[in-house]
Amino acid sequence: MTTAITITDVSITPVAVQDPPLLNSVGVHEPYALRAILQVRTDAGLVGVSEAYGDDPTLDRLRRAAAELPGLSIWDLNGLSRRVAVGLGEVAPDSPTELAGAPSVAKAIASTVSAFEVALYDLQGKATGLRVCDLLGGAVRERVPFSAYLFYKWAGHPGQEPDSFGEALDPAGIVAQARRLVDRYGFGSLKLKGGVFPPDEEIAAIRALREAFPEHPLRLDPNANWSVATSHRVATELAGVLEYLEDPTGGIEGMAEVAAHTGLPLATNMCVTTFDDVPPAVAAGAVSIVLSDHHFWGGLRASQKLAGICETFGLGLSMHSNTHLGVSLAAMTQLAAATPNLTYACDTHSVWQVEEVIEPGAIEISGGAVRVPDGPGLGVTIDQDALARLHEQYLGCGIRRRDDVAAMRVRYPDWTGARPRF
Ligand code: GKR
Ligand code: MG
């Protein structure tokens, strides 16, 4: 029998973590990426943890919602949604980054619910001794495969020493980067973040990867930086080479035009990012694969609902990632473990983070996969010293909202980040 356990207070700690100069369709990563670490305390002395975006608008929403949570039972996930709605009241459309689709009210609400829902699942696990994946229906896999996330990158941020990853600006650099990640982590599939250089250069990089890694499934994601015509051309060239092509162009209509002329599966984390996007995307035949992301789809239960919808409509399901830390990786892994039709290796930015907020040992990538943490709950513990240090870094870094366009202007003052560029 479970006892009533209610929330007493919530702390929300923004942190900044070092991030390398990774290039994408709108610009380049800033020297620091922002995250928020949530600690939800209860009258039973349990603390549930979660990780969310750490930009100012997100923090504002989290704080407004947190004020409504004392007294909420840790079992009452529907009550959580109601209280978050009360706390947020009228909310502005938002998206954590232009690379995860258009801003929307649904996304702003969903990301707030998600942040607390993960912490409640962590609490439920701690109260019962169960892992989150067991609370979500049980693990269908104990090891969750992730893909190597390859990025074109500069050697270092402007004005800084080269970082330990080095430069990757051409096919040879991308192959070397892939080799390093495969050797170190055993990744069994490779995803290249494209939309950076003219498509022929990125096609050459994919061909070089195919040559160097004949058996690895390959993906290319230009984050909607190509016109429909360019997308047609690249899709034709890379048919039979890629496992899937992710967001070649913008919008459901554009993606449908591309899909109509290629046998290459198209995936998205940009044109289908809320439940409202699903019916028009299915009707238009715009995508074959949806990349879920519990952070902005509304949490772990909402992601399972998305999985069911994908199954019903014959869509594949993969998992998207922005820059994140170990708490999110644990949540992603627990969710993927309990989602039968999540059969593609998931994305993770983890390999690019040299700083961490959880105690070491809970999460390692080996053999290209993460073993589901033992639990209870998410199976991770916040390293309070690391949290304090990364919070100090947040206070000092001056960044309050991700802006890859501004970071690019440091080197290219006329940069606009406007898409499609090719
Ligand atoms: O961090 O540069 C990046 C990525 O491009 C990220 O922002 C995207 O949202 O990885 C994401 C994607 O798959 O589109
Ligand atoms: Mg993507």
Side-chain angles (χ1 to χ4, degrees):
M1 191 182 121
T2 49
T3 46
I5 300 174
T6 57
I7 295 174
T8 51
D9 71 282
V10 175
S11 63
I12 299 162
T13 312
V15 296
V17 291
Q18 290 172 41
D19 206 18
L22 308 177
L23 294 156
N24 58 38
S25 65
V26 294
V28 64
H29 285 210
E30 293 163 286
Y32 296 96
L34 306 181
R35 301 296 283 172
I37 301 300
L38 281 64
Q39 298 180 88
V40 177
R41 297 187 181 78
T42 66
D43 55 6
L46 299 172
V47 183
V49 301
S50 177
E51 179 183 333
Y53 296 100
D55 55 278
D56 272 350
T58 296
L59 292 173
D60 176 56
R61 286 192 297 273
L62 292 174
R63 287 173 184 140
R64 277 154 57 197
E68 299 296 322
L69 298 190
L72 178 72
S73 162
I74 65 165
W75 311 103
D76 189 4
L77 300 176
N78 292 326
L80 168 68
S81 300
R82 287 195 299 273
R83 289 190 187 215
V84 168
V86 170
L88 293 186
E90 289 284 305
V91 65
D94 196 19
S95 175
T97 135
E98 58 274 74
L99 291 165
S104 78
V105 169
K107 215 178 283 175
I109 295 170
S111 59
T112 311
V113 171
S114 168
F116 293 106
E117 192 226 46
V118 169
L120 290 197
Y121 267 115
D122 188 39
L123 283 166
Q124 292 180 7
K126 285 171 172 159
T128 56
L130 296 172
R131 302 177 299 180
V132 169
C133 64
D134 296 318
L135 296 167
L136 291 173
V140 293
R141 54 187 73 86
E142 287 295 330
R143 294 179 58 76
V144 172
F146 286 85
S147 60
Y149 206 152
L150 311 176
F151 277 84
Y152 291 106
K153 70 178 288 296
W154 296 332
H157 286 285
Q160 294 185 10
E161 289 297 307
D163 60 42
S164 63
F165 300 102
E167 179 179 276
L169 296 171
D170 57 17
I174 290 295
V175 168
Q177 187 185 93
R179 182 69 65 201
R180 171 179 160 149
L181 296 181
V182 168
D183 286 352
R184 165 105 192 262
Y185 300 105
F187 288 115
S189 51
L190 308 171
K191 163 169 168 171
L192 175 61
K193 175 59 54 182
V196 174
F197 293 116
D200 285 334
E201 292 184 38
E202 298 187 355
I203 291 171
I206 291 291
R207 291 200 186 287
L209 286 170
R210 173 45 72 240
E211 174 104 13
F213 300 90
E215 304 300 334
H216 281 61
L218 304 175
R219 308 164 186 175
L220 175 60
D221 176 10
N223 280 118
N225 210 3
W226 301 340
S227 67
V228 169
T230 302
S231 304
H232 282 316
R233 187 170 72 75
V234 180
T236 303
E237 293 241 15
L238 293 180
V241 181
L242 294 178
E243 176 182 41
Y244 57 70
L245 179 59
E246 196 174 312
D247 288 309
T249 201
I252 289 172
E253 215 174 289
M255 288 285 279
E257 277 187 66
V258 179
H261 295 96
T262 179
L264 197 53
L266 300 189
T268 188
N269 60 264
M270 295 183 74
C271 74
V272 181
T273 50
T274 65
F275 289 101
D276 289 348
D277 296 327
V278 176
V282 169
V287 295
S288 309
I289 296 147
V290 177
L291 279 79
S292 68
D293 186 327
H294 75 267
H295 299 91
F296 58 76
W297 276 90
L300 306 178
R301 286 201 309 167
S303 300
Q304 289 196 308
K305 176 172 144 190
L306 173 65
I309 290 172
C310 287
E311 195 168 33
T312 301
F313 288 103
L315 299 174
L317 183 67
S318 187
M319 193 184 279
H320 165 261
S321 154
N322 283 126
T323 302
H324 63 84
L325 293 167
V327 180
S328 276
L329 184 58
M332 293 156 72
T333 303
Q334 297 278 358
L335 171 63
T339 308
N341 59 324
L342 215 171
T343 50
Y344 290 98
C346 302
D347 287 356
T348 176
H349 276 245
S350 288
V351 297
W352 298 107
Q353 263 45 75
V354 294
E355 295 174 311
E356 188 46 272
V357 78
I358 59 169
E359 290 180 359
I363 303 210
E364 311 286 346
I365 304 175
S366 67
V370 174
R371 195 177 59 76
V372 184
D374 287 333
L378 292 173
V380 293
T381 305
I382 302 293
D383 174 339
Q384 298 293 340
D385 292 338
L387 180 63
R389 194 181 63 71
L390 296 178
H391 178 61
E392 282 302 313
Q393 194 155 270
Y394 166 83
L395 294 175
C397 79
I399 297 171
R400 291 296 176 264
R401 179 152 203 174
R402 176 176 176 174
D403 191 344
D404 296 15
V405 175
M408 196 70 162
R409 284 199 187 123
V410 173
R411 195 164 271 184
Y412 302 104
D414 297 332
W415 182 260
T416 66
R419 289 174 295 181
R421 196 148 46 92
F422 303 109

